[in-house]
Amino acid sequence: MSKTSLIIKREYLTRIRKKSFLIMSILGPFIFAAYVLIPMYFATLEDKEEKTVVVIDESTLFTEYGPEGPHCVLPETEYLKFKIIEGVPLESYQAGFDATGYYAVLFIPQNILASESSILYSTRQISMDVSGHIRSAMEQELEHLKLAAHDIHNIEEILAEVETSVNVRNIKWTKAGEAEESNTGVVMGVGYMGGLLTFFFIFFFGSQVMRGVIEEKTSRIIEVIVSSVRPFQLMMGKIIGVGLTGLTQFAIWIVFSILLIAGIGTAFFPELTRTPTEQVVASDLFSPGAVTPDPGTTGEPAEIAGNAGGDAEEQAMGTEAGIPEAGGGKITGDEMGLAGEIFASLRTIDPVVMILSFLFYFIFGYLLYAAMFAVVGSAVDNETDTQQLIWPVILPLILAIYVMISAINNPDGSLAFWFSLIPFTSPVVMMVRIPFGVPWWQVALSASLLVATFLGMTWVAGKVYRTGILMYGKKTSYREIWKWLRYSS
Amino acid sequence: MGILSVREVVKDFSGHRALNNVSMDVPRTSIYGLLGPNGAGKTTLLRIINQITAPDAGTIIFEGHPIGRDDTALIGYLPEERGLYKKMKVGEQALYLAQLKGLSKHDAMQRLKPWFEKFEMGSWWGKKVEELSKGMAQKVQFVTTVIHEPTLLIFDEPFSGFDPINVNLLKQEILEMRKNGATIIFSTHNMASVEELCDHITLINEAETLLQGEINDIREKYRTSKYRVVFTGDPDRLSRGLQKQFTLEGLEKNGTGQQATITIREGAKSDDLIRNLLEITEIKAFYEVLPSMNDIFIQAVTEHE
């Protein structure tokens, strides 16, 4: 067995046998699942709290008198109710409002038509959802009233006919001339995950390399080892060994997380039990124009699809997009639920390209940074001394995260372009761009720059490392490291 | 031609010269002492021989050829700063280090067993190094240094940090290994161990070679024509009766009798002194006072500075 593989084996085995590896393997998926599930849990919590808003309607435009007394014309939702109260002055709510159990007071002044402003009073911060709902409901109601004032015959029918909802589907033409459905949100999500995972991997396992180097230095075994192997072999063995540990840990996490999210999802969020595939399969069972699985989102277009014009338009769209049998039972935008749309969008991302490029940027990004982390480790005597030296290593990584966030919204912009070429940021930034589709020459250029920089950086790191590991007791600066670089081998 | 030859080695570290044209020839199956004060460049030289650092100029010839990576399997090195992986088990670690020296796992296992028995370390195999005492860890370290049966052993300050029991063990092993054909280089500033073990030395001070050669030749060079005589009789008679070419340096009385230290002026012989002494006193013992390595060390270094 070659010496480098002996080192790799030792690094790998001692690491995966550690208790912390086991603990992280178990906890990691829980943390991961918590990231996904806790916001979902809170979202459902908030929705289910019923809120009643008292309406003081001085204009009486929003009040309707029924047999059970006055009630508000504003549309209610499952969790947001309105209650008209007459004859009670606004001021009387001000003191001790919390005791009433109401969420807020909506004050509609007499001159609402002219002033176009109303006020929501509450003792708490009013959520965006509630104020947004009230605003649009009032706007709609007032528009209706103003239209009605024009006294046009058949206004309701005209409005119903005019009512239009345009569904803009994103269809991407592939090189082969096929059309694919794409949902930007899904593609963004995939890119975001890819970039974030790469960042996390580099950061977490890069610093493990650094700690490993420091451990060898402080335990003083380093001199024994480098009397048997080249410092470069030791450094590369460690980097590769830690990298394999990381890949193993990730594989465990991914498998485990999927099981966990699926398990918890089934138990607590039954609506998630159907996988996207199942949902698409289910929606396939319905023929076009029939009742769609989710009337909430697709009800209106389905209605329009009932008349000839709409249908023709849809057919035209289908043929334009080059989908054979667009209206003939295949998935169309109309009948496809959100899950179906996600599924179709995921299909626009070539899994082979995605996985290969992910592995490539993941591995080479890690290798590039691990070499730099190794240098920092070799330059210090203990972990606390790493503080000042680590910044130049971490800074480009943090920059990559900032650029990544902007690149998600504009994957073909010049910022995203340049930072996906620069090797220190490309592993993260390019991962975000890949799901959107990147010209092959850009990927090739970025990849070769990354490999070249990795080779150069490893060479430089090897030179600094072999001097650094034998230095003790000095506070090292980058100036010192520059000197080491010029020592003869 | 010795087993190892260091030729005009120069090594600079940012602004200061650690080794300046240092040369040395290590005869086969010798025990070679590398002496010098702290910071003289001993460790740097040993690291260069171990190919841990490279010289800026000069060459190292090992077994007749410029030293290369393959030669590390024939060299055993015990650095001054000793250390093992603290979290790793003793047996695993010994196997790992032996494999890094080129042994197969099977051979390593085969060779480790007798060593573990000899040093009574059998029960430590599955323990982590951090569970061992310092003395125990030192034994483990020693075994890992010699396990691949190197022909050249390099010990950097082997006696510092080892407890007295382990120092004795180490000395015995050094002599034993020499008997079996190994060559040993060790650096030290413990002069007693040099006198006890070494047959050749090189003395380095401030990156330069000050003294070099067989230890007997060096002592010869530093002899001061000083003799000691243990006698019975009247000390006054001795001091009065000495001829002019002899100077009495001191007189002492102790349990075994009286002793005088006498130097001989250049040109005179020790036989003349004995004849002279026979006339004036009764000699119980007579011997030449050779300078100790300690004296030579201090004298050479002070003269150099």
Side-chain angles (χ1 to χ4, degrees):
Chain A
M1 203 187 285
S2 86
K3 287 178 180 178
T4 311
S5 49
L6 273 170
I7 294 165
I8 295 171
K9 196 177 140 200
R10 192 201 85 87
E11 293 291 341
Y12 181 74
L13 288 180
T14 51
R15 281 190 158 75
I16 61 164
R17 277 198 232 132
K18 271 188 191 166
K19 278 199 194 80
S20 57
F21 182 84
L22 188 71
I23 292 168
M24 276 309 281
S25 296
I26 296 167
L27 280 186
F30 280 99
I31 295 167
F32 199 74
Y35 266 111
V36 178
L37 294 172
I38 288 176
M40 273 166 79
Y41 175 69
F42 279 116
T44 53
L45 260 194
E46 211 173 346
D47 271 350
K48 283 178 181 148
E49 192 194 337
E50 195 176 301
K51 303 179 181 95
T52 305
V53 174
V54 170
V55 181
I56 299 177
D57 181 15
E58 287 189 346
S59 67
T60 69
L61 292 173
F62 295 88
T63 316
E64 226 172 54
Y65 294 94
E68 292 137 38
H71 90 106
C72 187
V73 295
L74 293 174
E76 295 183 334
T77 68
E78 203 177 335
Y79 304 110
L80 184 62
K81 309 288 177 203
F82 296 102
K83 189 178 180 188
I84 292 278
I85 292 195
E86 289 177 318
V88 183
L90 176 67
E91 295 75 32
S92 66
Y93 286 102
Q94 194 165 0
F97 179 70
D98 283 339
T100 62
Y102 295 128
Y103 180 72
V105 177
L106 173 63
F107 175 75
I108 302 171
Q110 193 131 35
N111 63 345
I112 178 76
L113 271 174
S115 71
E116 290 180 348
S117 69
S118 64
I119 304 170
L120 263 177
Y121 292 98
S122 182
T123 49
R124 61 200 112 189
Q125 187 62 46
I126 291 163
S127 81
M128 294 282 281
D129 286 350
V130 171
S131 74
H133 176 84
I134 291 174
R135 198 187 65 218
S136 67
M138 286 181 71
E139 276 169 7
Q140 229 172 357
E141 186 58 31
L142 288 177
E143 276 167 20
H144 264 277
L145 286 172
K146 283 178 184 171
L147 271 175
H150 287 283
D151 198 19
I152 301 163
H153 180 62
N154 275 351
I155 183 72
E156 292 298 326
E157 288 90 77
I158 294 170
L159 275 179
E161 208 192 306
V162 166
E163 172 93 54
T164 316
S165 165
V166 178
N167 182 21
V168 178
R169 295 164 63 196
N170 295 3
I171 306 277
K172 251 173 68 181
W173 286 332
T174 63
K175 290 265 153 61
E178 286 163 21
E180 290 170 332
E181 191 86 27
S182 89
N183 175 308
T184 317
V186 174
V187 178
M188 275 163 78
V190 171
Y192 187 74
M193 280 293 283
L196 211 60
L197 278 179
T198 310
F199 167 81
F200 182 67
F201 186 84
I202 290 174
F203 194 76
F204 190 77
F205 291 98
S207 36
Q208 285 219 1
V209 169
M210 182 178 79
R211 273 198 292 275
V213 174
I214 295 172
E215 185 209 344
E216 274 166 354
K217 250 189 109 171
T218 48
S219 74
R220 306 273 177 167
I221 195 170
I222 191 83
E223 212 172 332
V224 175
I225 305 277
V226 295
S227 72
S228 305
V229 302
R230 284 194 182 89
F232 187 75
Q233 287 176 306
L234 178 61
M235 187 181 87
M236 283 320 288
K238 185 174 287 295
I239 288 173
I240 294 168
V242 172
L244 290 176
T245 314
L247 288 174
T248 309
Q249 182 125 65
F250 257 93
I252 294 174
W253 282 351
I254 287 165
V255 170
F256 211 175
S257 293
I258 289 169
L259 292 177
L260 203 67
I261 292 175
I264 293 181
T266 315
F268 298 102
F269 306 99
E271 63 271 27
L272 292 178
T273 46
R274 288 160 96 206
T275 65
T277 328
E278 282 170 350
Q279 293 184 10
V280 171
V281 170
S283 69
D284 252 357
L285 298 175
F286 297 90
S287 57
V291 186
T292 51
D294 187 356
T297 52
T298 54
E300 277 175 314
E303 264 169 44
I304 287 180
N307 71 52
D311 213 349
E313 201 176 289
E314 201 183 312
Q315 289 278 12
M317 229 171 98
T319 31
E320 247 175 55
I323 305 176
E325 306 173 71
K330 276 280 170 192
I331 309 152
T332 70
D334 290 351
E335 67 199 43
M336 197 164 52
L338 180 64
E341 212 177 319
I342 289 173
F343 182 73
S345 299
L346 283 173
R347 288 197 315 187
T348 66
I349 305 167
D350 186 340
V352 178
V353 169
M354 190 64 201
I355 289 167
L356 283 184
S357 51
F358 184 64
L359 280 178
F360 176 83
Y361 282 103
F362 206 61
I363 289 168
F364 278 90
Y366 162 76
L367 289 176
L368 171 63
Y369 273 93
M372 296 195 280
F373 274 107
V375 163
V376 173
S378 76
V380 298
D381 290 354
N382 54 63
E383 246 185 279
T384 44
D385 286 348
T386 58
Q387 304 285 339
Q388 55 159 354
L389 292 178
I390 201 74
W391 276 108
V393 178
I394 292 180
L395 226 54
L397 268 181
I398 292 172
L399 185 67
I401 286 292
Y402 278 112
V403 173
M404 176 183 93
I405 289 161
S406 126
I408 275 178
N409 294 314
N410 192 5
D412 292 324
S414 62
L415 187 74
F417 170 76
W418 286 109
F419 280 89
S420 62
L421 290 185
I422 298 170
F424 295 95
T425 52
S426 68
V428 172
V429 178
M430 191 56 107
M431 277 320 297
V432 177
R433 293 186 61 203
I434 291 221
F436 292 95
V438 180
W440 68 268
W441 66 268
Q442 289 185 19
V443 181
L445 181 59
S446 154
S448 28
L449 279 175
L450 181 58
V451 172
T453 314
F454 151 67
L455 291 175
M457 180 54 73
T458 310
W459 181 77
V460 167
K463 291 193 78 165
V464 176
Y465 173 85
R466 93 186 153 215
T467 306
I469 48 174
L470 297 172
M471 293 281 176
Y472 289 97
K474 260 202 249 177
K475 272 260 180 197
T476 312
S477 60
Y478 270 99
R479 212 167 135 186
E480 189 79 14
I481 290 177
W482 176 245
K483 271 188 207 159
W484 298 350
L485 190 53
R486 293 179 302 164
Y487 285 162
S488 55
S489 49
Chain B
M1 182 76 205
I3 185 170
L4 180 87
S5 170
V6 174
R7 294 189 188 159
E8 290 164 0
V9 162
V10 177
K11 180 76 187 176
D12 286 314
F13 287 119
S14 48
H16 104 271
R17 181 152 283 201
L19 291 172
N20 190 14
N21 272 317
V22 172
S23 296
M24 97 187 176
D25 268 296
V26 181
R28 199 174 294 277
T29 69
S30 64
I31 299 182
Y32 201 105
L34 188 59
L35 319 180
N38 289 328
K42 292 174 299 207
T43 298
T44 305
L45 181 57
L46 295 186
R47 281 179 178 172
I48 287 172
I49 297 171
N50 275 297
Q51 303 175 75
I52 292 169
T53 37
D56 294 334
T59 45
I60 309 288
I61 306 293
F62 178 74
E63 297 280 17
H65 60 263
I67 201 161
R69 289 313 300 190
D70 291 342
D71 298 320
T72 55
L74 300 172
I75 300 176
Y77 177 48
L78 181 72
E80 182 179 4
E81 296 285 356
R82 257 101 51 192
L84 296 163
Y85 287 110
K86 291 193 178 71
K87 307 261 177 208
M88 210 174 171
K89 285 176 183 161
V90 172
E92 252 173 59
Q93 181 145 219
L95 275 177
Y96 173 63
L97 293 173
Q99 282 176 278
L100 283 186
K101 279 292 186 187
L103 291 186
S104 72
K105 194 170 182 178
H106 179 260
D107 285 356
M109 200 70 177
Q110 221 60 22
R111 290 191 198 183
L112 280 169
K113 271 186 199 159
W115 276 106
F116 270 65
E117 274 164 33
K118 188 176 181 181
F119 282 2
E120 294 165 350
M121 318 193 303
S123 60
W124 307 351
W125 188 272
K127 280 189 179 171
K128 284 184 181 169
V129 170
E130 61 188 355
E131 297 170 46
L132 301 183
S133 74
K134 208 174 168 191
M136 291 155 98
Q138 285 169 349
K139 280 189 187 175
V140 175
Q141 182 116 44
F142 178 75
V143 171
T144 62
T145 309
V146 301
I147 191 64
H148 54 295
E149 292 172 8
T151 53
L152 178 63
L153 279 146
I154 299 171
F155 298 124
D156 196 355
E157 298 285 356
F159 306 115
S160 77
F162 274 93
D163 60 47
I165 296 167
N166 283 342
V167 165
N168 261 339
L169 194 79
L170 194 62
K171 281 180 183 166
Q172 281 167 28
E173 290 304 329
I174 285 176
L175 292 171
E176 178 75 20
M177 283 185 292
R178 196 253 295 262
K179 215 169 82 190
N180 294 335
T183 309
I184 293 110
I185 301 174
F186 70 85
S187 84
T188 187
H189 33 233
N190 177 344
M191 293 304 141
S193 63
V194 174
E195 273 164 355
E196 197 181 335
L197 295 170
C198 292
D199 36 42
H200 290 74
I201 63 147
T202 287
L203 172 60
I204 307 179
N205 187 41
E206 290 177 344
E208 313 260 358
T209 315
L210 291 194
L211 273 180
Q212 197 163 55
E214 252 182 90
I215 203 154
N216 292 333
D217 296 348
I218 288 168
R219 283 185 146 169
E220 192 69 22
K221 198 173 138 199
Y222 275 81
R223 66 193 292 188
T224 47
S225 312
K226 203 180 268 184
Y227 294 86
R228 189 155 290 151
V229 59
V230 183
F231 65 97
T232 46
D234 185 2
D236 284 345
R237 192 169 161 231
L238 184 137
S239 61
R240 270 184 276 117
L242 272 183
Q243 292 164 5
K244 274 188 184 163
Q245 56 203 3
F246 309 119
T247 319
L248 182 65
E249 298 280 343
L251 268 171
E252 278 170 46
K253 203 170 179 177
N254 62 22
T256 54
Q258 301 177 89
Q259 61 175 41
T261 312
I262 298 157
T263 44
I264 300 176
R265 204 179 292 168
E266 218 170 310
K269 287 177 182 162
S270 56
D271 288 0
D272 299 335
L273 176 58
I274 293 172
R275 266 183 224 112
N276 183 212
L277 285 169
L278 282 171
E279 290 161 10
I280 52 175
T281 188
E282 190 185 330
I283 300 172
K284 288 179 81 177
F286 181 87
Y287 54 91
E288 183 179 6
V289 181
L290 283 171
S292 70
M293 281 313 297
N294 208 37
D295 298 336
I296 297 173
F297 180 97
I298 291 167
Q299 195 187 332
V301 170
T302 2
E303 274 170 13
H304 180 243
E305 279 161 3

